[in-house]
Amino acid sequence: MTAAAALQKAKTTLALTSNYAVAYAVKAADVDVVAVYPITPQTTIVEKIAEFVDDGELNADLIHVESEHSAMSAVVGAAAAGARVFTATSSQGLELMHEVLHIASGLRLPIVMAVPARALSAPISIHGDYSDVMNTRDTGWITYIASSAQEVYDTVIQAYKVAETALLPVMVSYDGFLMSHTTEPVELNDEEEVRRFLPRKDRPNVLRPEKPITMGAFAMPDWYYEIKYQVQEALMGSLKVVEEVDAEYGKIFGRSYGIVQTYRMEDADYAIIAYGGAAFGNAREAADIAREKGIKAGAIRLRVWRPFPTSHLLKQLAGVKAFAVVDRAIAFGSSGGGPVFLDVAAALWMNGIDIPGLSVIHGIGQRSMYVEDFVKIYEMLKSGERNKVIYMGLRL
Amino acid sequence: MSLPRVHEIPIGGIITEPGSSRKNLTGGWRSLKPIIHDDRCIRCRICWTYCPEGTIKEIKGEFVVKGRKYQYKYEIDYNYCKGCGICAHECPTKAIEMVPEA
């Protein structure tokens, strides 16, 4: 082995934004087709991928399309033909893709998409919250919410294995701007090793001229229900795939994350459930401060939002006296304020568990979330505030 | 005919064999049903030409209607007829009537 090759094989750590971390992961996964339309804060992902393609570091077809609807349509077509594909978007772009998201999952195509989450219009906001990701809730996509650039990199690689095993599209989301445009150290894997982790497998049903098939045909009422149930069944079963892939990845590359992450939950009386980088970071710091004040505080992070990790979460909530969910999106007009709160409440109720909770809306349109706010949430839980929606950081 | 269960359908509802759309009967959404009054039919074949779904069948044989001999008659395949009414609209002798589906 030459010195240069040895150097390349050695672990590389670079300072990367989460967006660049995605691009490096896409390169390592040796993706065939990338279709994309630029939108803030996603743009720099594909700028970096375009560089890789231009420099000959990634042998992929980069398709310039005329909208996000076309971007998703193009990767649906490429994936149908058996290619390994990638696209990325945010906010209104994700909304414009919405109808095609259903087609991707309905056709059971292993598409991977990165979504640095951003607030929705109107009014126009380029800043980060999770309104866009939460709006894709019922589209049948496996949805991760990562909380560090390193995790973004690792999750995109894992996502290909999950997608190609479960035959479902996978979305990897993370905080817009707070992560997409901030730099962290990221340890990169040896690309040969990543390619061994992601072997090319022949999918049984792809478009090829020798053996014609029809994809996306019409289904009468006596067929449609069964085909959609297949998606539901695959999605519910995919949590196991997510877990196995994470464990296998951990064995090979030394980093794994699990389905839910916890902080000081061993003896916690009061838990904050959060997702994304900023919220979980704040919750952890606040838990330390709350504990100094004598409140047994802990934090839980959902790493996987769809399929909803009901049993993993309930295990964590088992000994808790009260919990709060910090949502960075509003489920407008709903019974419980935030989208994740609704699922947590349903998970408890469906399993006959009665733990009181607070639905906290915060960080909308990237409104600053302070650690003190999270400490206040622990204090509210301790003081017995129960079962209501709190709009934190709002000028009321 | 019994339809396949969830796990018998190729995933993604993909159609893997040619001609299998014959199993997918599309007549179920019809609300009006065309009836051919054979005594008014002049065998012009316009309904056969216009049917967008190809559900009008041309039957060969010896047919005597009101003393006249014909080589053909036309029937509708109700398994696939969607009841769009184009045949009735186009028929020059008004031999096709749209009646409500029972």
Side-chain angles (χ1 to χ4, degrees):
Chain A
M1 194 186 283
T2 64
L7 195 69
Q8 217 168 26
K9 205 144 173 53
K11 297 232 170 197
T12 323
T13 301
L14 295 181
L16 298 176
T17 64
S18 286
N19 275 0
Y20 277 14
V22 170
Y24 275 92
V26 166
K27 177 158 82 83
D30 193 23
V31 166
D32 305 312
V33 174
V34 178
V36 79
Y37 192 78
I39 186 168
T40 302
Q42 165 271 123
T43 316
T44 57
I45 300 173
V46 185
E47 282 176 0
K48 194 72 189 163
I49 292 175
E51 268 178 46
F52 289 145
V53 173
D54 199 39
D55 295 346
E57 288 182 66
L58 173 64
N59 181 22
D61 283 320
L62 189 69
I63 310 176
H64 299 281
V65 288
E66 64 285 280
S67 74
E68 288 88 351
H69 187 279
S70 310
M72 183 46 61
S73 301
V75 294
V76 160
R84 187 174 278 172
V85 302
F86 176 78
T87 188
T89 193
S90 294
S91 188
Q92 306 302 126
L94 189 55
E95 294 300 301
L96 189 53
M97 281 181 180
H98 192 94
E99 65 145 335
V100 196
L101 299 182
H102 287 273
I103 295 170
S105 63
L107 293 179
R108 306 289 302 278
L109 297 171
I111 294 164
V112 174
M113 171 162 68
V115 181
R118 170 186 146 185
L120 291 172
S121 296
I124 297 169
S125 164
I126 61 158
H127 289 90
D129 71 23
Y130 279 85
S131 316
D132 52 358
V133 173
M134 292 300 155
N135 255 2
T136 67
R137 189 186 63 185
D138 300 335
T139 56
W141 283 56
I142 295 171
T143 307
Y144 287 94
I145 303 176
S147 82
S148 71
Q150 181 70 62
E151 190 188 336
V152 168
Y153 174 80
D154 295 328
T155 306
V156 169
I157 294 170
Q158 290 185 13
Y160 278 99
K161 189 139 190 147
V162 169
E164 288 166 17
T165 308
L167 291 180
L168 281 170
V170 181
M171 197 181 300
V172 180
S173 65
Y174 46 94
D175 296 13
F177 285 111
L178 295 173
M179 289 171 67
S180 67
H181 285 63
T182 52
T183 304
E184 297 173 68
V186 178
E187 191 179 298
L188 302 180
N189 301 327
D190 176 49
E191 290 194 352
E192 290 301 316
E193 227 171 324
V194 173
R195 284 162 201 191
R196 272 196 297 279
F197 177 72
L198 297 173
R200 299 275 172 177
K201 280 185 287 186
D202 268 346
R203 269 187 283 138
N205 292 316
V206 295
L207 296 174
R208 61 181 100 114
E210 315 86 78
K211 192 181 172 294
I213 57 168
T214 302
M215 282 186 173
F218 173 77
M220 285 293 280
D222 46 2
W223 288 84
Y224 180 87
Y225 187 9
E226 277 72 17
I227 294 165
K228 280 298 183 191
Y229 178 79
Q230 287 182 341
V231 177
Q232 166 71 346
E233 198 181 39
L235 198 55
M236 297 316 277
S238 70
L239 199 59
K240 204 166 163 280
V241 179
V242 168
E243 214 163 13
E244 285 167 3
V245 167
D246 186 58
E248 191 191 338
Y249 187 91
K251 258 187 219 153
I252 299 170
F253 301 105
R255 292 178 301 273
S256 63
Y257 302 89
I259 305 291
V260 295
Q261 268 197 331
T262 58
Y263 183 72
R264 304 190 82 163
M265 279 305 296
E266 304 75 33
D267 61 340
D269 286 336
Y270 304 101
I272 289 180
I273 300 165
Y275 47 94
F280 189 54
N282 280 348
R284 278 182 303 188
E285 238 180 289
D288 289 341
I289 296 168
R291 279 191 180 249
E292 278 167 24
K293 295 185 177 185
I295 303 168
K296 280 186 168 180
I300 304 169
R301 173 174 78 93
L302 291 187
R303 180 182 180 232
V304 180
W305 157 235
R306 278 293 179 268
F308 192 75
T310 305
S311 60
H312 293 77
L313 187 68
L314 293 188
K315 209 190 281 174
Q316 296 303 329
L317 286 178
V320 159
K321 288 182 185 155
F323 72 92
V325 179
V326 177
D327 268 296
R328 292 192 60 200
I330 304 173
F332 290 111
S334 74
S335 59
V340 173
F341 178 83
L342 294 173
D343 254 88
V344 174
L348 291 168
W349 189 83
M350 291 286 274
N351 287 279
I353 302 165
D354 188 9
I355 306 173
L358 291 176
S359 175
V360 181
I361 310 288
H362 205 349
I364 300 301
Q366 214 172 313
R367 173 63 46 88
S368 293
M369 299 187 290
Y370 300 105
V371 174
E372 300 83 74
D373 297 340
F374 285 67
V375 175
K376 206 173 149 205
I377 297 170
Y378 283 123
E379 283 167 349
M380 282 194 240
L381 289 173
K382 174 97 194 271
S383 71
E385 287 216 56
R386 295 293 182 259
N387 299 350
K388 59 176 169 185
V389 185
I390 291 157
Y391 296 92
M392 206 159 231
L394 180 78
R395 293 186 301 277
L396 198 63
Chain B
M1 187 177 55
S2 73
L3 291 163
R5 290 159 181 271
V6 169
H7 299 116
E8 294 163 350
I9 302 171
I11 63 158
I14 284 160
I15 298 167
T16 53
E17 52 173 313
S20 59
S21 58
R22 282 179 195 176
K23 291 181 202 159
N24 199 11
L25 307 184
T26 51
W29 59 14
R30 189 172 56 231
S31 61
L32 288 173
K33 171 181 191 164
I35 306 280
I36 299 179
H37 297 289
D38 201 36
D39 54 335
R40 280 183 246 156
C41 174
I42 56 168
R43 275 69 179 166
C44 68
R45 223 190 202 186
I46 283 177
C47 60
W48 182 91
T49 310
Y50 272 85
C51 176
E53 291 289 293
T55 68
I56 296 177
K57 293 191 288 190
E58 197 170 67
I59 315 281
K60 282 184 187 165
E62 295 284 322
F63 304 102
V64 182
V65 181
K66 287 187 184 170
R68 284 196 67 168
K69 272 192 196 169
Y70 292 105
Q71 306 277 297
Y72 300 99
K73 76 166 183 174
Y74 294 89
E75 278 180 7
I76 287 159
D77 188 343
Y78 292 113
N79 278 330
Y80 303 103
C81 168
K82 297 188 290 189
C84 69
I86 289 175
C87 55
H89 184 266
E90 296 298 334
C91 179
T93 61
K94 309 224 177 303
I96 303 176
E97 186 189 352
M98 299 301 290
V99 301
E101 190 70 36

